[in-house]
Amino acid sequence: MPTIVVDVMPKAELLDPQGKAVSGALSRLGKDAFTDVRIGKRFELTVEGEVTDEILAEARRIADDILSNSVIEDVVGIEVVE
Amino acid sequence: MPTIVVDVMPKAELLDPQGKAVSGALSRLGKDAFTDVRIGKRFELTVEGEVTDEILAEARRIADDILSNSVIEDVVGIEVVE
């Protein structure tokens, strides 16, 4: 069944405390290759049947209005995965 | 700067209460195109300089050992984004 994947990340200009915590933990563990970590959400919306343009448009609206908080988050990707 | 994106999702055989809540909310709002919702995490690891095979292997280890809990979650994707 096709799945629409929606990726939501904290806005770049905002501090991401979860990401900062992981980033600090990686440094303490000696894993210095990674200079920054940011943590967002990945939504998988399962669609019964075919993903029409209409359903994709609906998914975009849902992503903007319901799945993300536009004050602090950006929808960084919407893609259809079979 | 290149970024390594790590996607972590709750295992398929486990209930995902967050996803169920969103799925129920969508139904109540009359958005019936989506039969199921699952919610996972998206990590963006920033790398200074080039992403070598070694750094990518390190990212895989971190994804399995630190960023995900293998009892309840699967790492569903690791990709490099420029």
Side-chain angles (χ1 to χ4, degrees), chain B:
Chain B
M1 257 184 307
T3 300
I4 299 175
V5 176
V6 176
D7 290 316
V8 174
M9 294 298 294
K11 278 185 192 289
E13 59 271 27
L14 293 184
L15 195 70
D16 168 18
Q18 261 196 107
K20 282 278 168 291
V22 171
S23 182
L26 292 182
S27 297
R28 284 193 299 280
L29 293 168
K31 301 184 188 308
D32 296 325
F34 311 102
T35 54
D36 194 22
V37 179
R38 295 185 76 78
I39 306 180
K41 280 177 255 179
R42 175 188 161 99
F43 298 84
E44 291 186 356
L45 310 174
T46 305
V47 177
E48 199 102 35
E50 211 191 330
V51 178
T52 59
D53 287 351
E54 203 176 306
I55 289 180
L56 201 55
E58 176 88 312
R60 275 182 222 284
R61 278 196 299 277
I62 288 173
D64 288 336
D65 299 343
I66 299 174
L67 302 181
S68 69
N69 175 351
S70 62
V71 177
I72 57 169
E73 292 169 327
D74 285 324
V75 177
V76 298
I78 297 185
E79 59 167 347
V80 180
V81 179
E82 294 307 313

Coordinates of all heavy atoms in Angstrom, one line a residue, chain B:
Chain B
M1 N 26.9 22.4 3.9 CA 27.5 21.3 4.6 C 26.7 20.0 4.5 O 25.5 20.1 4.6 CB 27.7 21.6 6.1 CG 29.1 22.0 6.4 SD 29.4 22.3 8.2 CE 28.1 23.5 8.6
P2 N 27.3 18.9 4.3 CA 26.5 17.7 4.1 C 25.9 17.2 5.4 O 26.4 17.5 6.5 CB 27.6 16.6 3.7 CG 28.9 17.1 4.1 CD 28.8 18.6 4.1
T3 N 24.7 16.6 5.2 CA 24.0 16.1 6.4 C 23.6 14.7 6.2 O 23.3 14.3 5.1 CB 22.7 17.0 6.5 OG1 23.0 18.3 6.6 CG2 21.8 16.5 7.6
I4 N 23.8 13.9 7.2 CA 23.3 12.5 7.2 C 22.0 12.4 7.9 O 21.8 12.8 9.0 CB 24.3 11.6 7.9 CG1 25.7 11.7 7.2 CG2 23.8 10.1 7.9 CD1 26.8 10.9 7.9
V5 N 21.0 12.0 7.1 CA 19.6 11.9 7.6 C 19.4 10.4 8.1 O 19.5 9.5 7.3 CB 18.6 12.3 6.6 CG1 17.2 12.1 7.1 CG2 18.8 13.7 6.2
V6 N 19.0 10.3 9.3 CA 18.7 8.9 9.9 C 17.2 8.9 10.2 O 16.7 9.7 11.0 CB 19.5 8.6 11.1 CG1 19.1 7.3 11.7 CG2 21.0 8.7 10.8
D7 N 16.4 8.0 9.6 CA 15.0 7.8 9.9 C 14.8 6.6 10.8 O 15.2 5.5 10.5 CB 14.2 7.7 8.6 CG 14.2 8.9 7.8 OD1 14.0 10.0 8.4 OD2 14.4 8.9 6.6
V8 N 14.1 6.9 11.9 CA 13.8 5.8 12.9 C 12.2 5.7 13.0 O 11.6 6.7 13.2 CB 14.4 6.1 14.2 CG1 14.0 5.1 15.3 CG2 15.9 6.1 14.1
M9 N 11.7 4.5 12.9 CA 10.3 4.3 13.0 C 10.0 3.2 14.1 O 10.8 2.3 14.3 CB 9.6 3.9 11.7 CG 9.7 4.9 10.6 SD 8.8 6.4 10.9 CE 7.1 5.9 11.0
P10 N 8.8 3.3 14.8 CA 8.4 2.2 15.7 C 8.2 1.0 14.8 O 7.8 1.0 13.7 CB 7.1 2.7 16.2 CG 6.6 3.8 15.4 CD 7.8 4.4 14.7
K11 N 8.6 -0.2 15.4 CA 8.5 -1.4 14.7 C 7.0 -1.7 14.3 O 6.1 -1.3 15.0 CB 8.9 -2.6 15.6 CG 10.4 -2.8 15.7 CD 10.8 -4.0 16.5 CE 12.2 -4.1 16.8 NZ 13.1 -4.4 15.6
A12 N 6.9 -2.3 13.1 CA 5.6 -2.5 12.5 C 4.6 -3.3 13.4 O 3.4 -3.0 13.4 CB 5.7 -3.1 11.1
E13 N 5.2 -4.2 14.1 CA 4.3 -5.1 14.9 C 3.9 -4.4 16.3 O 3.1 -5.0 17.0 CB 5.0 -6.4 15.2 CG 6.3 -6.4 15.9 CD 7.5 -6.3 14.9 OE1 7.3 -5.7 13.8 OE2 8.6 -6.7 15.3
L14 N 4.4 -3.3 16.6 CA 4.1 -2.6 17.8 C 3.0 -1.5 17.6 O 3.0 -0.9 16.5 CB 5.3 -1.9 18.4 CG 6.4 -2.8 18.9 CD1 7.5 -2.0 19.5 CD2 5.9 -3.8 19.9
L15 N 2.2 -1.4 18.6 CA 1.2 -0.3 18.5 C 2.0 1.0 18.6 O 2.9 1.1 19.4 CB 0.3 -0.4 19.7 CG -1.0 0.4 19.7 CD1 -2.0 -0.2 18.7 CD2 -1.7 0.3 21.1
D16 N 1.5 2.0 17.9 CA 2.1 3.4 18.0 C 1.0 4.3 18.5 O 0.3 4.9 17.7 CB 2.6 3.7 16.6 CG 3.0 5.2 16.5 OD1 3.3 5.8 17.5 OD2 3.1 5.7 15.3
P17 N 1.0 4.6 19.8 CA -0.1 5.3 20.3 C -0.2 6.8 19.8 O -1.3 7.2 19.5 CB 0.2 5.4 21.8 CG 1.2 4.3 22.1 CD 1.9 4.1 20.8
Q18 N 0.9 7.4 19.6 CA 0.9 8.7 19.0 C 0.3 8.7 17.6 O -0.6 9.6 17.3 CB 2.4 9.2 18.8 CG 2.9 10.1 19.8 CD 4.2 10.8 19.3 OE1 4.3 12.0 18.9 NE2 5.3 10.0 19.2
G19 N 0.7 7.7 16.8 CA 0.2 7.6 15.4 C -1.3 7.3 15.5 O -2.1 7.9 14.7
K20 N -1.7 6.4 16.4 CA -3.1 6.1 16.5 C -4.0 7.3 16.9 O -5.1 7.5 16.4 CB -3.4 5.0 17.6 CG -3.0 3.6 17.2 CD -4.2 3.0 16.4 CE -3.7 1.7 15.7 NZ -2.8 1.9 14.6
A21 N -3.4 8.2 17.7 CA -4.1 9.4 18.1 C -4.3 10.3 16.9 O -5.4 10.9 16.7 CB -3.4 10.1 19.2
V22 N -3.3 10.5 16.1 CA -3.4 11.4 15.0 C -4.3 10.8 14.0 O -5.2 11.5 13.4 CB -2.0 11.6 14.3 CG1 -2.1 12.3 13.0 CG2 -1.1 12.4 15.2
S23 N -4.2 9.4 13.8 CA -5.1 8.8 12.8 C -6.6 9.0 13.2 O -7.5 9.3 12.4 CB -4.8 7.3 12.8 OG -5.5 6.6 11.9
G24 N -6.9 8.8 14.6 CA -8.2 9.0 15.1 C -8.7 10.5 14.8 O -9.8 10.7 14.4
A25 N -7.8 11.4 15.1 CA -8.1 12.8 14.9 C -8.5 13.1 13.4 O -9.4 13.8 13.1 CB -7.0 13.7 15.3
L26 N -7.7 12.5 12.5 CA -7.9 12.7 11.1 C -9.3 12.2 10.7 O -10.1 12.8 9.9 CB -6.9 12.1 10.2 CG -5.5 12.7 10.3 CD1 -4.5 12.0 9.3 CD2 -5.5 14.2 9.9
S27 N -9.7 11.0 11.2 CA -11.0 10.4 10.9 C -12.1 11.4 11.4 O -13.0 11.6 10.7 CB -11.2 9.1 11.6 OG -10.2 8.2 11.2
R28 N -11.9 11.9 12.6 CA -12.9 12.7 13.2 C -13.1 14.0 12.4 O -14.2 14.6 12.3 CB -12.6 13.1 14.7 CG -12.9 11.9 15.6 CD -12.9 12.4 17.1 NE -11.6 12.9 17.5 CZ -10.5 12.2 17.8 NH1 -10.6 10.8 17.8 NH2 -9.4 12.7 18.2
L29 N -12.0 14.5 11.8 CA -12.1 15.7 10.9 C -12.6 15.4 9.5 O -12.6 16.2 8.6 CB -10.7 16.3 10.9 CG -10.1 16.9 12.2 CD1 -8.7 17.2 12.1 CD2 -10.9 18.1 12.5
G30 N -12.9 14.1 9.3 CA -13.4 13.7 8.0 C -12.4 13.5 6.9 O -12.7 13.4 5.7
K31 N -11.1 13.4 7.3 CA -10.1 13.1 6.3 C -9.8 11.6 6.3 O -9.0 11.1 7.0 CB -8.8 13.9 6.8 CG -9.1 15.4 6.8 CD -7.9 16.2 7.1 CE -8.3 17.7 7.4 NZ -9.1 18.3 6.3
D32 N -10.6 11.0 5.4 CA -10.7 9.5 5.5 C -9.7 8.8 4.5 O -9.7 7.6 4.4 CB -12.1 9.0 5.2 CG -13.1 9.5 6.2 OD1 -12.7 9.5 7.4 OD2 -14.2 9.8 5.9
A33 N -9.0 9.6 3.7 CA -8.1 9.1 2.7 C -7.0 8.3 3.4 O -6.4 7.4 2.7 CB -7.5 10.2 1.8
F34 N -6.7 8.6 4.6 CA -5.5 8.0 5.3 C -5.9 6.9 6.3 O -6.6 7.2 7.2 CB -4.7 9.1 5.9 CG -4.4 10.2 5.0 CD1 -5.1 11.4 5.1 CD2 -3.5 10.1 3.9 CE1 -4.9 12.4 4.2 CE2 -3.3 11.1 3.1 CZ -4.0 12.3 3.2
T35 N -5.6 5.7 6.0 CA -6.1 4.6 6.8 C -5.2 4.3 8.1 O -5.7 3.7 9.0 CB -6.1 3.2 6.0 OG1 -4.8 3.0 5.5 CG2 -7.1 3.4 4.9
D36 N -4.0 4.8 8.0 CA -3.1 4.6 9.2 C -2.1 5.7 9.3 O -1.7 6.2 8.2 CB -2.4 3.2 9.1 CG -1.8 2.8 10.4 OD1 -2.3 3.3 11.5 OD2 -0.9 1.9 10.4
V37 N -1.7 6.0 10.5 CA -0.6 7.0 10.6 C 0.4 6.4 11.6 O 0.0 5.9 12.7 CB -1.1 8.3 11.2 CG1 0.0 9.3 11.4 CG2 -2.2 8.9 10.3
R38 N 1.7 6.4 11.3 CA 2.7 6.1 12.2 C 3.7 7.2 12.3 O 4.0 7.9 11.4 CB 3.4 4.8 11.8 CG 2.5 3.6 11.8 CD 3.2 2.3 11.5 NE 3.9 1.8 12.6 CZ 3.4 1.1 13.7 NH1 2.1 0.9 13.8 NH2 4.2 0.7 14.6
I39 N 4.2 7.4 13.5 CA 5.1 8.6 13.8 C 6.5 8.1 14.3 O 6.5 7.4 15.3 CB 4.5 9.6 14.8 CG1 3.1 9.9 14.3 CG2 5.3 10.8 14.9 CD1 2.3 10.9 15.2
G40 N 7.5 8.5 13.6 CA 8.8 8.2 14.0 C 9.7 9.4 14.1 O 9.2 10.5 14.2
K41 N 11.0 9.2 14.1 CA 11.9 10.3 14.3 C 12.8 10.5 13.1 O 13.1 9.5 12.4 CB 12.8 10.1 15.5 CG 12.0 10.4 16.8 CD 12.9 10.1 18.0 CE 12.4 8.9 18.7 NZ 13.2 8.5 19.9
R42 N 13.2 11.7 12.9 CA 14.1 12.0 11.8 C 15.3 12.8 12.4 O 15.1 13.9 13.0 CB 13.4 12.9 10.7 CG 14.3 13.4 9.6 CD 13.6 14.4 8.8 NE 14.5 15.2 8.0 CZ 14.7 15.0 6.7 NH1 14.1 14.0 6.1 NH2 15.6 15.8 6.1
F43 N 16.5 12.2 12.3 CA 17.7 12.9 12.8 C 18.5 13.4 11.7 O 18.7 12.8 10.7 CB 18.6 11.8 13.6 CG 17.9 11.2 14.8 CD1 17.1 10.1 14.6 CD2 18.2 11.7 16.0 CE1 16.5 9.5 15.7 CE2 17.6 11.1 17.1 CZ 16.7 10.0 17.0
E44 N 19.0 14.7 11.8 CA 19.9 15.3 10.9 C 21.2 15.5 11.5 O 21.3 16.3 12.5 CB 19.3 16.6 10.4 CG 18.1 16.4 9.5 CD 17.6 17.7 8.8 OE1 18.2 18.8 9.1 OE2 16.6 17.7 8.1
L45 N 22.2 14.7 11.1 CA 23.6 14.8 11.6 C 24.4 15.6 10.7 O 24.6 15.2 9.5 CB 24.2 13.4 11.8 CG 23.4 12.3 12.5 CD1 24.1 11.0 12.4 CD2 23.1 12.7 13.9
T46 N 24.9 16.8 11.1 CA 25.7 17.6 10.2 C 27.1 17.2 10.3 O 27.7 16.9 11.4 CB 25.6 19.1 10.7 OG1 24.2 19.5 10.7 CG2 26.3 20.0 9.7
V47 N 27.7 17.1 9.1 CA 29.1 16.7 9.0 C 30.0 17.8 8.5 O 29.6 18.4 7.4 CB 29.3 15.4 8.1 CG1 30.8 15.1 7.9 CG2 28.5 14.3 8.7
E48 N 31.0 18.1 9.1 CA 32.0 19.2 8.7 C 32.9 18.5 7.6 O 33.5 17.5 7.9 CB 32.8 19.7 9.8 CG 33.4 21.0 9.6 CD 32.7 22.2 10.3 OE1 32.1 21.9 11.4 OE2 32.6 23.2 9.7
G49 N 32.9 19.0 6.4 CA 33.7 18.4 5.4 C 33.0 17.3 4.7 O 31.8 17.2 4.7
E50 N 33.8 16.4 4.1 CA 33.2 15.3 3.3 C 32.7 14.1 4.1 O 33.3 13.8 5.1 CB 34.3 14.9 2.3 CG 33.8 14.4 0.9 CD 34.9 13.7 0.1 OE1 36.1 14.1 0.3 OE2 34.6 12.8 -0.6
V51 N 31.7 13.5 3.5 CA 31.2 12.3 4.2 C 31.9 11.1 3.6 O 31.7 10.6 2.5 CB 29.7 12.1 3.9 CG1 29.2 10.8 4.6 CG2 28.9 13.3 4.5
T52 N 32.9 10.6 4.3 CA 33.7 9.4 3.9 C 32.9 8.2 4.3 O 32.0 8.2 5.0 CB 35.1 9.4 4.6 OG1 34.8 9.4 6.0 CG2 35.9 10.7 4.3
D53 N 33.4 7.0 3.7 CA 32.8 5.7 4.0 C 32.9 5.5 5.5 O 32.0 4.9 6.1 CB 33.5 4.6 3.3 CG 33.1 4.6 1.8 OD1 32.2 5.4 1.4 OD2 33.8 3.9 1.0
E54 N 34.0 5.9 6.1 CA 34.2 5.7 7.5 C 33.2 6.5 8.4 O 32.6 5.9 9.3 CB 35.6 6.2 7.9 CG 36.2 5.7 9.1 CD 37.7 6.2 9.2 OE1 38.4 6.1 8.3 OE2 38.0 6.8 10.3
I55 N 32.9 7.7 8.0 CA 31.9 8.5 8.7 C 30.5 7.9 8.6 O 29.7 7.9 9.5 CB 32.0 10.0 8.2 CG1 33.3 10.7 8.7 CG2 30.8 10.8 8.7 CD1 33.4 12.1 8.3
L56 N 30.3 7.4 7.3 CA 28.9 6.8 7.1 C 28.8 5.6 7.9 O 27.7 5.3 8.5 CB 28.8 6.5 5.6 CG 27.4 6.4 5.1 CD1 26.5 7.6 5.4 CD2 27.4 6.2 3.6
A57 N 29.8 4.8 8.0 CA 29.8 3.6 8.9 C 29.6 3.9 10.3 O 28.8 3.3 11.0 CB 31.1 2.8 8.7
E58 N 30.3 5.0 10.8 CA 30.1 5.5 12.1 C 28.6 5.9 12.4 O 28.0 5.6 13.4 CB 31.0 6.7 12.4 CG 30.9 7.3 13.7 CD 31.8 6.7 14.8 OE1 31.7 5.5 14.9 OE2 32.5 7.5 15.5
A59 N 28.1 6.6 11.4 CA 26.7 7.1 11.5 C 25.7 5.9 11.6 O 24.8 5.9 12.4 CB 26.3 7.9 10.3
R60 N 26.0 4.8 10.8 CA 25.2 3.6 10.9 C 25.3 3.0 12.3 O 24.2 2.6 12.9 CB 25.7 2.5 9.9 CG 25.1 2.7 8.6 CD 25.6 1.6 7.6 NE 25.9 2.2 6.3 CZ 25.0 2.5 5.4 NH1 23.8 2.3 5.7 NH2 25.4 3.0 4.3
R61 N 26.5 2.9 12.9 CA 26.6 2.4 14.3 C 25.9 3.3 15.3 O 25.2 2.7 16.1 CB 28.1 2.3 14.6 CG 28.8 1.1 14.1 CD 30.2 0.9 14.8 NE 31.1 2.0 14.7 CZ 31.9 2.2 13.6 NH1 31.9 1.3 12.6 NH2 32.7 3.2 13.5
I62 N 26.0 4.6 15.1 CA 25.3 5.5 16.0 C 23.8 5.3 15.9 O 23.1 5.3 16.9 CB 25.7 7.0 15.7 CG1 27.1 7.2 16.2 CG2 24.8 7.9 16.4 CD1 27.7 8.6 15.8
A63 N 23.3 5.2 14.7 CA 21.9 5.0 14.4 C 21.4 3.8 15.1 O 20.3 3.8 15.8 CB 21.6 4.9 12.9
D64 N 22.1 2.7 15.0 CA 21.7 1.4 15.7 C 21.8 1.4 17.2 O 21.0 0.9 17.9 CB 22.5 0.2 15.1 CG 22.1 -0.1 13.6 OD1 21.0 0.3 13.3 OD2 23.0 -0.6 12.9
D65 N 22.9 2.0 17.7 CA 23.2 1.9 19.1 C 22.7 3.0 19.9 O 22.3 2.8 21.1 CB 24.7 1.8 19.3 CG 25.4 0.6 18.6 OD1 24.6 -0.3 18.2 OD2 26.6 0.6 18.4
I66 N 22.6 4.2 19.4 CA 22.3 5.4 20.2 C 21.0 6.1 19.8 O 20.2 6.4 20.7 CB 23.5 6.4 20.1 CG1 24.8 5.8 20.6 CG2 23.2 7.7 20.9 CD1 26.0 6.6 20.4
L67 N 20.8 6.3 18.5 CA 19.6 7.0 18.1 C 18.3 6.2 18.1 O 17.2 6.8 18.1 CB 19.9 7.6 16.7 CG 21.1 8.5 16.5 CD1 21.2 9.0 15.1 CD2 21.0 9.6 17.5
S68 N 18.5 4.9 18.1 CA 17.2 4.1 18.1 C 17.3 3.0 19.2 O 18.4 2.7 19.7 CB 17.1 3.3 16.8 OG 18.1 2.4 16.6
N69 N 16.2 2.6 19.7 CA 16.1 1.6 20.7 C 15.6 0.3 19.9 O 14.4 0.2 19.5 CB 15.0 2.0 21.7 CG 14.8 0.9 22.7 OD1 15.2 -0.3 22.5 ND2 14.0 1.2 23.8
S70 N 16.5 -0.6 19.7 CA 16.2 -1.7 18.8 C 15.1 -2.7 19.3 O 14.6 -3.5 18.6 CB 17.5 -2.5 18.5 OG 18.0 -3.1 19.7
V71 N 14.7 -2.5 20.6 CA 13.6 -3.3 21.1 C 12.3 -2.9 20.5 O 11.4 -3.7 20.2 CB 13.6 -3.2 22.6 CG1 12.4 -4.0 23.2 CG2 14.8 -3.7 23.3
I72 N 12.2 -1.6 20.3 CA 10.9 -1.1 19.8 C 10.9 -0.3 18.5 O 9.9 0.1 18.0 CB 10.2 -0.1 20.9 CG1 11.2 1.0 21.3 CG2 9.9 -0.9 22.2 CD1 10.5 2.1 22.1
E73 N 12.2 0.0 18.0 CA 12.3 0.8 16.8 C 13.2 0.2 15.8 O 14.1 -0.6 16.1 CB 12.9 2.2 17.2 CG 12.0 3.0 18.1 CD 12.7 4.3 18.6 OE1 13.9 4.2 18.9 OE2 12.0 5.3 18.8
D74 N 12.9 0.5 14.5 CA 13.8 0.2 13.4 C 14.4 1.4 12.8 O 13.7 2.4 12.6 CB 13.0 -0.6 12.3 CG 12.6 -2.0 12.7 OD1 13.4 -2.6 13.4 OD2 11.5 -2.4 12.4
V75 N 15.7 1.3 12.4 CA 16.3 2.3 11.5 C 15.8 2.0 10.1 O 16.2 1.0 9.5 CB 17.8 2.3 11.6 CG1 18.4 3.4 10.7 CG2 18.2 2.6 13.1
V76 N 15.0 2.9 9.5 CA 14.4 2.6 8.2 C 15.2 3.3 7.1 O 14.9 3.0 5.9 CB 12.9 3.0 8.1 CG1 12.1 2.1 9.1 CG2 12.7 4.4 8.3
G77 N 16.1 4.2 7.4 CA 16.8 4.8 6.3 C 18.0 5.7 6.8 O 17.9 6.3 7.9
I78 N 19.1 5.6 6.1 CA 20.2 6.5 6.3 C 20.7 7.0 5.0 O 21.0 6.2 4.1 CB 21.4 5.7 7.0 CG1 21.0 5.2 8.4 CG2 22.6 6.6 7.1 CD1 22.1 4.5 9.1
E79 N 20.6 8.3 4.8 CA 21.1 8.8 3.5 C 21.8 10.1 3.7 O 21.6 10.9 4.7 CB 19.9 9.0 2.5 CG 18.8 9.9 3.1 CD 17.8 10.3 2.0 OE1 18.1 10.1 0.8 OE2 16.8 10.9 2.4
V80 N 22.7 10.4 2.7 CA 23.5 11.6 2.8 C 22.8 12.7 1.9 O 22.4 12.4 0.8 CB 24.9 11.4 2.2 CG1 25.7 12.7 2.3 CG2 25.6 10.3 3.1
V81 N 22.6 13.9 2.5 CA 22.0 15.0 1.8 C 23.0 16.1 1.7 O 23.6 16.4 2.8 CB 20.7 15.4 2.5 CG1 20.1 16.6 1.7 CG2 19.7 14.3 2.6
E82 N 23.2 16.7 0.6 CA 24.2 17.8 0.5 C 23.6 19.1 1.0 O 22.5 19.4 0.9 CB 24.7 17.9 -0.9 CG 25.5 16.7 -1.4 CD 26.7 16.3 -0.5 OE1 27.4 17.2 -0.1 OE2 26.8 15.1 -0.2

